[in-house]
């Protein structure tokens, strides 16, 4: 059923003082500074270089940065570049600074951090380079890539042309390929055809396959779908090679689009299924050649087309299960073998298995964001209901961002907007009050605090116990990890870093929680170290961290929690560190930390960062925040939540009680105070003696 979803101005007019709840502290006072600036990276580079046991030259660090970026280790690439940048500034070597800035631009471009990629590319162009062709071509190409990914294809064409004029012979074929793809997207098909036929195809097999994809793309854009289909079939016949299966996946996808243009829905569906089956067999890894040729392809594009196809055919079940397949694949792609994943996070669960796992009063509400519409399913033990909401992915992201900003900024106008959003996103499902909701978000909806939506004049958290799940596959797997856990608390509070990172409320919070449990281990201030965490986390039933957290948008595996200094040095726990920690005995991890639930949203799956890492390490449930939190409100919420848990209340209802305890205090009634924390995972969890 297609339903209208109006796109409205979320907040009309300027934000005057009267629109802001005076109880809400200024957001700026709570946000940690962004380290990924030229100054921040240079300072980090100096620290990293000082600690390097084997010190390389600046140019060796640049070579290291290039190799790391090509393998997908983007944060490590940025760190190598930052060391080169530091050495270049310390020695006054402008050429080294230009190369380091170029490499930073490439790493941030690969990560999809477009503003920073462009900024570093323009910084590279500003600096003197001894061999300009080593900087001009790559830097202008990054700028063109950024413009193309923003949809400004005309500007991208201009940047690629500038890049061509200053590029080395070795780099020219990559820029030519990007230029052809930008011309196709800009609709200048005549010039795209001219350039394609004039340029020799690349000799490297991977790039040659990408070039053939570009040829087929052009045929499809020229409205020659029969010829495009034939070209894609030729790609299917490529001889076996290292990545032949991967290129066959894209050939099947192209064939599906060709069959759609020819008006053959049955053949389109068969080709899409072949593409998805191929993806199941292809190893997830980073493929920089696609970025280098300006294709910017993503396997989630194939899943989107398949979900859209099934939904368009009226196949609710097929669309739902394909959505689940997309989440499992996105998780594998995000990790790319750099971290371990338990079977219950990647094993596919069918609709029937999900329904068998649900209780009568439970409903899974799952979303899938498509380019021009939003799909939502409500699954009960005996029912499947779906709706299609007419809103584009771009407009949805804007709405979520504006709503989040209003919540985190303390605006009073959130109530009417929460009413509108709740009615639009959840109203069609007609959920009766009291049902337990397990929400599976998608895309920008991972940043939406569903508890702060409103239905029929009430906040959603007042009507429903609520939790999130990265996918229904993972939700069912987490339930199987066991519904009961011993009431034993291990907690870390206010790790001693420096005065600017002091959290006195965090220390009080941990002491108060410790008083609720006879079996507890508390690490406060200077004792809350990384060493203490790694030595105790594996034995924790309830693991609580009240500290600062920093999401890493460049590479989520490097998101970190700041812990107490050790041996006079900053110390922190990175997501990647959790790969070596066995949390299979841990029922609940609570990150009572600023923005601990943020990270990079991977298309098709959950936020990549601490939520994924703690669940993958064995924990059954996680509580994490979406924006910087108030000390006093967090204390009240956590104290209530843990008190209810200690009394035997299940985790989902305990979380609801904690949020309501904050909401019902007049001075903290604004959702800024009670809505930032999300419960993710095993909602049925209870404690036992």
């Amino acid at each position: 059923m297609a339903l209208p979803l109006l796109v409205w101005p979320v907040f009309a007019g300027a934000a005057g003082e009267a629109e802001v709840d005076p109880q809400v502290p200024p957001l700026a006072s709570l946000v940690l500074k962004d380290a990924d600036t030229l100054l921040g990276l240079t300072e980090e580079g100096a620290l990293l270089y000082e600690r390097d046991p084997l010190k390389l030259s600046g140019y060796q660090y640049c070579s290291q940065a290039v190799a790391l970026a090509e393998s997908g280790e983007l944060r490590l690439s940025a760190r190598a570049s930052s060391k080169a940048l530091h050495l270049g500034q310390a020695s006054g070597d402008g050429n080294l600074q230009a190369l380091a800035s170029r490499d930073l631009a490439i790493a941030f471009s690969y990560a999809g951090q477009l503003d920073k990629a462009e900024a570093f590319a323009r910084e590279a162009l500003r600096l003197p380079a001894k061999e300009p062709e080593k900087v001009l071509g790559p830097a202008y190409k990054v700028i063109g890539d950024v413009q193309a990914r923003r949809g400004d294809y005309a500007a991208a064409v201009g940047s690629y042309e500038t890049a061509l004029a200053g590029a080395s012979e070795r780099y020219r074929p990559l820029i030519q390929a990007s230029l052809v793809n930008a011309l196709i997207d800009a609709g200048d098909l005549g010039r795209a055809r001219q350039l394609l036929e004039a340029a020799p195809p690349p000799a490297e097999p991977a790039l040659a396959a990408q070039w053939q994809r570009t040829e087929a793309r052009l045929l499809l854009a020229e409205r020659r779908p029969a010829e495009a289909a034939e070209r894609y079939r030729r790609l299917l016949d490529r001889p076996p090679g290292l990545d032949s299966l991967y290129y066959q996946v894209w050939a099947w996808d192209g064939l599906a689009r060709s069959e759609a243009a020819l008006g053959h829905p049955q053949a389109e569906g068969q080709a899409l299924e072949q593409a998805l089956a191929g993806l199941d067999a292809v190893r997830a890894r980073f493929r920089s050649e696609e970025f280098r040729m300006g294709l910017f392809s993503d396997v989630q594009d194939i899943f989107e087309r398949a979900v859209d196809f099934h939904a368009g055919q009226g196949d609710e079940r097929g669309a739902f299960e394909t959505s689940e397949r997309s989440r499992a694949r996105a998780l594998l792609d995000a990790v790319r073998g750099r971290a371990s994943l338990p079977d219950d996070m990647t094993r596919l669960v069918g609709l029937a298995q999900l329904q068998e796992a649900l209780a009568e009063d439970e409903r899974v509400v799952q979303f899938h964001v498509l380019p021009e519409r939003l799909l939502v399913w409500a699954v009960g033990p005996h029912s499947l209901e779906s709706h299609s909401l007419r809103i584009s992915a771009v407009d949805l992201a804007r709405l979520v961002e504006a709503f989040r900003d209003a919540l985190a900024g303390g605006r009073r106008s959130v109530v009417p907007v929460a009413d509108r959003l709740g009615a639009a996103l959840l109203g069609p499902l007609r959920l009766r009050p009291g049902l337990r909701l397990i929400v599976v978000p998608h895309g920008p909806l991972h940043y939406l605090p569903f508890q702060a939506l409103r239905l029929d004049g009430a906040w959603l958290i007042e009507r429903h116990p609520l939790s999130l799940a990265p996918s229904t596959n993972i939700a069912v797997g987490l339930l199987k990890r066991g519904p009961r856990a011993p009431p034993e608390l291990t907690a870390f509070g206010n790790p001693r870093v420096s005065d600017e990172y002091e959290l006195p409320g965090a220390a009080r919070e941990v002491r108060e929680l410790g008083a609720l449990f006879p079996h507890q281990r508390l690490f406060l201030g200077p004792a809350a170290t990384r060493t203490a965490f790694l030595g105790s986390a594996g034995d924790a039933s309830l693991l609580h961290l009240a500290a600062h957290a920093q999401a890493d948008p460049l590479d989520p595996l490097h998101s970190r929690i700041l812990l107490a200094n050790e041996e006079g040095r900053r110390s922190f726990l990175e997501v990647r560190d959790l790969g070596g920690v066995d949390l299979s005995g841990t029922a609940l991890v609570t990150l009572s930390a600023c923005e601990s639930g943020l990270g990079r949203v991977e298309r098709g799956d959950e936020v990549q960062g601490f939520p994924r890492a703690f669940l993958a390490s064995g924990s059954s449930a996680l509580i994490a925040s979406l924006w910087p939190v108030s000390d006093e409100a967090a204390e009240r919420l956590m104290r209530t939540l843990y008190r209810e848990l200690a009394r035997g209340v299940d985790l989902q209802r305990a979380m609801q009680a904690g949020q309501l305890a904050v909401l019902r205090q007049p001075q903290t009634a604004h959702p800024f105070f009670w809505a930032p924390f999300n419960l993710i995972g095993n909602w049925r969890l209870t404690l036992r003696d």
Side-chain angles (χ1 to χ4, degrees):
M1 177 180 177
L3 295 165
L5 183 61
L6 299 178
V7 178
W8 58 88
V10 178
F11 304 104
E17 288 185 5
E19 295 181 13
V20 179
D21 189 323
Q23 302 291 341
V24 178
L27 183 62
S29 69
L30 297 170
V31 178
L32 296 177
K33 66 179 182 180
D34 180 6
D36 283 333
T37 61
L38 192 65
L39 177 61
L41 286 167
T42 304
E43 291 176 346
E44 181 183 32
L47 290 171
L48 292 171
Y49 180 74
E50 179 187 348
R51 296 176 188 175
D52 261 359
L54 178 62
K55 292 177 169 52
L56 306 178
S57 73
Y59 293 95
Q60 287 173 315
Y61 283 124
C62 282
S63 297
Q64 191 180 76
V66 171
L68 287 165
E70 291 296 302
S71 67
E73 291 288 355
L74 303 180
R75 174 54 65 189
L76 297 182
S77 174
R79 288 177 180 171
S81 296
S82 71
K83 287 183 270 192
L85 198 62
H86 156 67
L87 292 173
Q89 289 196 356
S91 63
D93 187 341
N95 180 61
L96 179 56
Q97 293 176 61
L99 294 175
S101 297
R102 173 204 67 185
D103 297 339
L104 285 167
I106 292 170
F108 279 95
S109 176
Y110 285 174
Q113 298 293 301
L114 303 186
D115 290 344
K116 289 187 172 67
E118 182 176 9
F120 285 118
R122 295 196 183 280
E123 176 68 12
L125 293 171
R126 187 189 66 79
L127 293 160
K130 291 180 180 177
E131 299 175 273
E133 68 276 8
K134 291 186 176 180
V135 173
L136 293 178
Y140 275 112
K141 184 183 182 302
V142 166
I143 293 170
D145 291 347
V146 167
Q147 292 163 335
R149 292 167 80 181
R150 287 174 176 157
D152 190 353
Y153 300 115
V157 167
S159 295
Y160 289 141
E161 288 172 336
T162 305
L164 267 179
S168 64
E169 287 301 314
R170 178 174 172 273
Y171 204 64
R172 285 177 65 84
L174 297 173
I175 301 173
Q176 287 173 322
S178 296
L179 177 56
V180 170
N181 280 298
L183 287 166
I184 293 171
D185 291 323
D188 192 347
L189 305 183
R191 187 156 175 239
R193 170 63 60 189
Q194 181 183 13
L195 285 175
L196 189 71
E197 292 179 350
E204 185 182 334
L207 297 180
Q210 301 287 6
W211 187 261
Q212 290 175 55
R213 280 177 60 192
T214 297
E215 291 180 304
R217 279 188 81 223
L218 179 56
L219 285 168
L220 203 52
E222 291 171 331
R223 299 187 180 180
R224 298 156 66 183
E227 294 173 73
E230 180 57 33
R231 187 60 54 90
Y232 283 121
R233 288 191 183 96
R234 283 190 217 166
L235 271 171
L236 289 171
D237 294 332
R238 281 175 56 83
L242 179 64
D243 250 359
S244 59
L245 283 176
Y246 179 74
Y247 299 114
Q248 285 182 9
V249 165
W250 286 108
W252 281 115
D253 173 66
L255 185 58
R257 288 184 286 116
S258 302
E259 296 290 4
L262 289 166
H264 301 157
Q266 184 176 356
E268 177 191 1
Q270 290 171 346
L272 279 171
E273 187 52 42
Q274 289 283 355
L276 295 182
L279 280 175
D280 291 339
V282 173
R283 182 170 62 92
R285 70 175 183 85
F286 183 80
R287 292 174 172 85
S288 63
E289 58 265 18
E290 294 176 354
F291 291 89
R292 291 158 63 195
M293 296 194 71
L295 280 165
F296 313 118
S297 53
D298 188 319
V299 298
Q300 288 302 316
D301 292 336
I302 303 175
F303 283 105
E304 281 183 3
R305 282 190 279 278
V307 170
D308 201 22
F309 174 80
H310 286 291
Q313 297 293 309
D315 181 5
E316 292 181 336
R317 184 186 191 120
F320 178 84
E321 292 186 340
T322 303
S323 175
E324 277 300 292
R325 287 175 74 177
S326 79
R327 295 164 204 266
R329 178 65 200 201
L331 183 55
L332 288 171
D333 286 340
V335 174
R336 298 193 306 272
R338 297 184 298 157
S340 60
L341 290 171
D343 289 343
D344 60 7
M345 293 194 74
T346 55
R347 185 187 303 119
L348 290 175
V349 171
L351 177 63
Q353 291 170 282
L354 169 63
Q355 291 177 315
E356 288 175 8
L358 292 176
E360 291 296 327
D361 65 342
E362 294 174 344
R363 296 292 183 274
V364 167
V365 178
Q366 178 160 311
F367 293 89
H368 199 107
V369 180
L370 294 172
E372 297 301 327
R373 59 176 170 155
L374 173 66
L375 301 181
V376 56
W377 298 271
V379 183
H382 313 293
S383 61
L384 170 65
E385 179 183 352
S386 69
H387 297 276
S388 175
L389 311 179
R390 292 200 298 270
I391 182 170
S392 71
V394 171
D395 286 337
L396 181 63
R398 288 172 179 160
L399 286 174
V400 170
E401 182 179 5
F403 184 54
R404 241 180 59 87
D405 287 348
L407 284 169
R411 293 194 186 181
R412 290 172 171 164
S413 52
V414 295
V415 172
V417 181
D419 282 324
R420 284 170 158 178
L421 268 176
L425 297 179
L426 299 172
L429 302 179
R430 302 180 302 277
L431 300 164
R432 60 178 172 82
L435 285 174
R436 301 166 68 106
L437 302 186
I438 302 94
V439 177
V440 182
H442 190 254
L445 294 178
H446 284 289
Y447 291 150
L448 180 67
F450 280 87
Q451 54 271 16
L453 299 183
R454 290 172 62 85
L455 282 175
D456 299 327
W459 300 105
L460 194 64
I461 197 62
E462 294 179 295
R463 291 170 49 97
H464 301 279
L466 177 74
S467 58
L468 303 182
S471 69
T472 55
N473 296 325
I474 293 176
V476 173
L478 293 176
L479 287 178
K480 293 178 179 177
R481 293 185 184 180
R484 297 180 69 80
E488 300 170 357
L489 177 72
T490 299
F492 293 75
N494 191 23
R496 176 58 187 167
V497 179
S498 63
D499 291 345
E500 65 178 312
Y501 293 117
E502 279 295 292
L503 292 170
R508 291 194 304 272
E509 176 184 312
V510 166
R511 290 191 186 96
E512 289 178 2
L513 299 184
L516 297 173
F517 298 95
H519 303 289
Q520 37 100 337
R521 288 177 296 176
L522 308 183
F523 300 89
L524 300 172
T529 63
R530 181 177 184 274
T531 300
F533 177 88
L534 294 176
S536 61
D539 300 323
S541 174
L542 304 175
L543 181 58
H544 187 95
L545 293 101
H548 283 294
Q550 295 172 316
D552 190 333
L554 183 62
D555 188 339
L557 289 184
H558 292 274
S559 296
R560 58 193 186 181
I561 294 172
L562 304 187
L563 293 173
N565 297 343
E566 295 189 73
E567 298 179 355
R569 292 182 175 180
R570 290 283 175 92
S571 179
F572 44 81
L573 177 76
E574 289 193 336
V575 165
R576 62 176 184 163
D577 296 331
L578 293 170
V581 181
D582 180 7
L583 297 179
S584 57
T586 302
L588 171 65
V589 175
T590 300
L591 301 180
S592 184
C594 294
E595 299 180 296
S596 55
L598 295 183
R600 189 170 70 201
V601 173
E602 299 291 347
R603 291 178 63 200
D605 198 56
E606 94 268 34
V607 173
Q608 299 297 327
F610 283 109
R612 194 269 318 153
F614 276 107
L615 296 178
S617 295
S619 175
S620 296
L622 175 80
I623 294 172
S625 63
L626 288 171
W627 59 78
V629 297
S630 157
D631 262 8
E632 291 184 8
E635 280 184 65
R636 182 181 296 274
L637 190 154
M638 295 298 168
R639 184 170 62 246
T640 306
L641 184 157
Y642 279 93
R643 185 181 64 237
E644 294 298 296
L645 274 179
R647 291 178 50 231
V649 175
D650 67 72
L651 180 57
Q652 195 185 52
R653 293 190 186 280
M655 184 67 175
Q656 181 188 37
Q659 291 175 320
L660 292 178
V662 180
L663 186 159
R664 288 169 179 164
Q665 295 293 314
Q667 67 273 26
T668 56
H670 192 280
F672 167 85
F673 295 100
W674 53 263
F677 286 104
N678 277 337
L679 167 60
I680 305 167
N682 188 349
W683 62 95
R684 295 179 188 162
L685 182 71
T686 57
L687 301 184
R688 56 169 171 78
D689 291 327

